Amino acid sequence: MAVATLGYLELRRHHSLIADVGSGSASVDPVLVLVPTLVAGAAALLLLRLLPLTSLLLDAFGRRGRGSYSPWPVGS
């Protein structure tokens, strides 16, 4: 997550993936090209870390109820 944050800040500082556009010799910084991938990967890992906590909280909330509710008839 820290690497993705640092990459995002670096991308904001440069305002572009292409370096030295005005000088005629444009080059692409490979680190800045990887920033969106790093941010997406960090977000996915963060969501995977939060998933068990969320399911435990939803389970506890569901157990507090008086019974199950379904808008469709279940069983006979």
Side-chain angles (χ1 to χ4, degrees), residues 4-5 11 17 19 22-23 30 34 37 40-41 44 48-54 60 63 65 68 70-71 73 75-76:
T5 303
L11 185 60
L17 295 175
S23 67
L34 291 176
T37 305
L48 284 174
R49 294 286 297 180
L50 292 176
L51 184 63
L53 176 65
T54 305
R63 289 180 190 272
S68 62
S70 176
S76 52

Side-chain angles (χ1 to χ4, degrees), residues 6-52:
L6 289 174
Y8 173 73
L9 292 175
E10 188 72 17
L11 185 60
R12 282 191 59 197
R13 188 175 70 117
H14 286 289
H15 301 292
S16 176
L17 295 175
I18 302 172
D20 299 328
V21 176
S23 67
S25 63
S27 64
V28 176
D29 187 0
V31 175
L32 292 179
V33 172
L34 291 176
V35 168
T37 305
L38 290 173
V39 170
L45 287 175
L46 182 65
L47 288 175
L48 284 174
R49 294 286 297 180
L50 292 176
L51 184 63

